[in-house]
Amino acid sequence: MSTPRKLVEVRDLKMHFPIRGGLLRRIVGAVKAVDGVTFDILEGETLGLVGESGCGKSTCGRALLRLYEVSGGSILIEGADIAEASPEELRRMRPKMQMVFQDPQASLNPRMTVARIIGEPLLEHTSLSKAEREERVYELMDQVGLNRAFANRYPDAFSGGQRQRIGIARALALNPRFIVCDEPIAALDVSIQAQVVNLLEDLQDKLGLTYLFISHDLSMVRHIADRVAVMYLGKIVELAPREPLYSAPLHPYTQALLSAVPDPDPAIAARRQRTILTGDVPSPANPPKGCNFCTRCPQVMDICRSVDPEFREVAPGRFAACHLLDDTVSASGHGPGRGAQDQKTNQQGSMT
Amino acid sequence: MPDGAAPVLDVKGLKTVFQTRSGKIHAVNDVSFDLRPGELLGVVGESGSGKSVTMMSLIGLLPSPPADVCAGQVLFGGRDLLKTDADALRGIRGKRIGFVFQDPMTSLNPVFNVGFQICEPLRKHMGLSKAAARNRAVELLELVGIPDARRRLDDYPHQFSGGMRQRVMIAIALACDPEVLIADEPTTALDVTIQAQILELVKDLREKLGMAIIWITHDLGVIAGIADRVIVMYAGQVVEQAPVQELFSNPQHPYTRSLLKTIPSVSGDRAPRLQVIEGQPPIQMKAPDACPFLPRCAHGFDRCAAENPARLAVGQGHDVACFWDPATGGPRHV
């Protein structure tokens, strides 16, 4: 197999929301929900995007489809920059990229029948006849495991898992290449989550889809994703293929996050060394100076409070942003002495 | 904990129905369990399995109508809570039985500062003076790990983060040194790193205070980490009960067995495909006359449709409500 093509290339994406205040509602600050993230999504893969609430993972996913006007950076989908696209261009690009939302209750119009919900993208973007549209809706319902006989029912007649299937069918209607799944299973019961995840995997195999799978559930992401990006306070702190990320996380935040996930096995749970982070996530309107994680990091150093670590490739395919890794990389690359020296110069450079 | 010790709380044959426009919903069907001194009893089940309603029934927190706690006994401190009048019950709730609910934002009153809310039970139940209650409140906030406790007493709930609010809720629940603490999905609304903090706190408090805890959750990972014993609920019934190690290493009920297989983990083996429990949990519109799990069960046979299995002891402290025997793969011989 040749090297997979990059389907999505995100460079230094920023999404800042203005904070207005005062009598004249002037802009007095910004919530830096996404603050300079860079990553690729390869064709046919599932990239997991994990992090705690408020870390900017959902905003990142929405900005990727330009559901927001981004504040900076570029998003190339199949080479075309969606961040710069005109409304007309954007409309032509929409069928290629779709979204599955978290709350299947809120994302489906309660006054539309299932057939109309699934058929709406077809009406909007294709010139199919009524009969053809109907045929396609049935086909989609089969594909996601919904009974055709229920096409004329309303969303409230369905359970949470079935509603999520409706949302997935709607996303599939225009044969997209790329789907952003924003916490698609978070609102579902444990026994239903597996059904939806298996469906997403089957569809990926069958249709060659590429997913960005946004979730706070680290164990489910380990199951579904090929590569995983970890976000903290608007930035990606680590991005790596699944296995090394879970077995040997590099960034202290990833380590703490993984150790906080309860293990459904009492024997492992009793054995495990836990890293309990103290404190809460700082506000994205007022992130700390230096590394965003410096206020909670168990291994914080002086440099972390002044210099924001660069997000870079620290091993083939593994990216991280942490000063602790400065040494190790230089050590493998140029010898230990050089690495320590580099760090010192960096530090001095930034101090002045 | 000693098996023979008299239970702090003994629930027998509890039944709760809700009267709705479309008919009666049998939310709790003949639930029995006990809580022993100092233990942490985990209650697992999916939403709608009746775990919260069970706990609210036993201390009279359900509005009636529509709820009707129609049968059973809840023995606590030598009396039956179901036969206790509302006034006496109020003296027990918050004093001898403390509560922590899932969502700390909706269970704290936004218009009173947290100091007032912690002092309220202290003054009502313990008769403390204003100053004494305030001092005790500071102690409690320190106990649950809120820094700068004295100053924070005057802060309002919205000035606390989610994790800190949940700590405040725990402080309120602990205010009167309860014998029993009932925690209903106390960490579900929190992030994992904050959840880990709260779980550590609870483990720590248990050692210090030695109360018995009922911990309701749908997260088997949380249960594995903190519970001594577990009851598994499905469709308003207890389908399995076992010590925590036993439940995870030797699950008997097909529901428990598949539930354990459907959840992926962050360590251990990664299955190429998740096991699925087809279908969805039922809504009980009539008293159960068959096994409620039968429609989703891979092992059901004719007897399961004819009668609802009673709980049957299968090991030390381990019982299961099922006719199927995983050891033989056939019917259980009773």
Side-chain angles (χ1 to χ4, degrees), chain A residues 52-53 189 195 223 263 277, chain B residues 47 191 193 197 267 270 277:
Chain A
E52 298 178 271
S53 45
D189 259 324
Q195 297 176 1
H223 177 80
D263 206 290
L277 291 179
Chain B
S47 39
D191 275 315
T193 61
Q197 291 175 3
S267 54
R270 181 181 163 276
I277 310 178

Side-chain angles (χ1 to χ4, degrees), chain A residues 52-53 159 189-192 194-195 198 202 219-220 222-223 242 257 260 262-264 266 274 276-277 279-280 296, chain B residues 46-47 161 191 193-195 197 200 221 224 248 263-265 267-268 270-271 273-277 279-280 296:
Chain A
E52 298 178 271
S53 45
S159 68
D189 259 324
V190 194
S191 75
I192 310 296
Q195 297 176 1
N198 282 352
D202 289 345
S219 25
M220 202 51 101
R222 175 169 181 244
H223 177 80
R242 176 186 63 228
L257 195 62
D263 206 290
R274 291 182 139 221
I276 308 281
L277 291 179
D280 291 305
R296 299 173 82 198
Chain B
E46 297 177 76
S47 39
S161 66
D191 275 315
T193 61
I194 308 298
Q195 165 170 287
Q197 291 175 3
E200 282 303 301
F248 283 84
I263 41 170
S265 93
S267 54
R270 181 181 163 276
R273 203 172 161 77
L274 293 175
Q275 178 146 350
V276 159
I277 310 178
Q280 40 198 308
R296 303 175 78 188

Side-chain angles (χ1 to χ4, degrees), chain A residues 44-67:
Chain A
E45 80 165 346
T46 300
L47 178 70
L49 184 58
V50 299
E52 298 178 271
S53 45
C55 72
K57 53 189 192 303
S58 288
T59 308
C60 182
R62 287 167 176 243
L64 228 57
L65 299 185
R66 210 172 136 190
L67 299 184

Side-chain angles (χ1 to χ4, degrees), chain A residues 60-104:
Chain A
C60 182
R62 287 167 176 243
L64 228 57
L65 299 185
R66 210 172 136 190
L67 299 184
Y68 297 126
E69 289 303 319
V70 301
S71 317
S74 65
I75 306 157
L76 300 178
I77 295 186
E78 290 194 307
D81 191 346
I82 167 166
E84 297 288 320
S86 69
E88 191 42 46
E89 285 167 345
L90 195 59
R91 204 181 128 75
R92 278 202 303 274
M93 293 163 83
R94 286 271 176 233
K96 265 191 292 195
M97 46 197 206
Q98 292 291 320
M99 185 145 184
V100 175
F101 295 92
Q102 169 169 0
D103 185 351

Side-chain angles (χ1 to χ4, degrees), chain A residues 237 250-252 291 297 309-312 314 320-326:
Chain A
V237 295
L250 293 176
H251 197 285
C291 174
C297 183
E310 188 197 347
F311 180 68
R312 58 198 178 84
V314 292
C322 180
H323 289 303
L324 286 169
L325 304 169
D326 289 353

Side-chain angles (χ1 to χ4, degrees), chain A residues 52 232 253 256 276-282 292-300, chain B residues 193-194 197:
Chain A
E52 298 178 271
Y232 184 79
Y253 178 64
I276 308 281
L277 291 179
T278 50
D280 291 305
V281 185
N292 273 352
F293 188 50
C294 74
T295 54
R296 299 173 82 198
C297 183
Q299 300 174 61
V300 66
Chain B
T193 61
I194 308 298
Q197 291 175 3

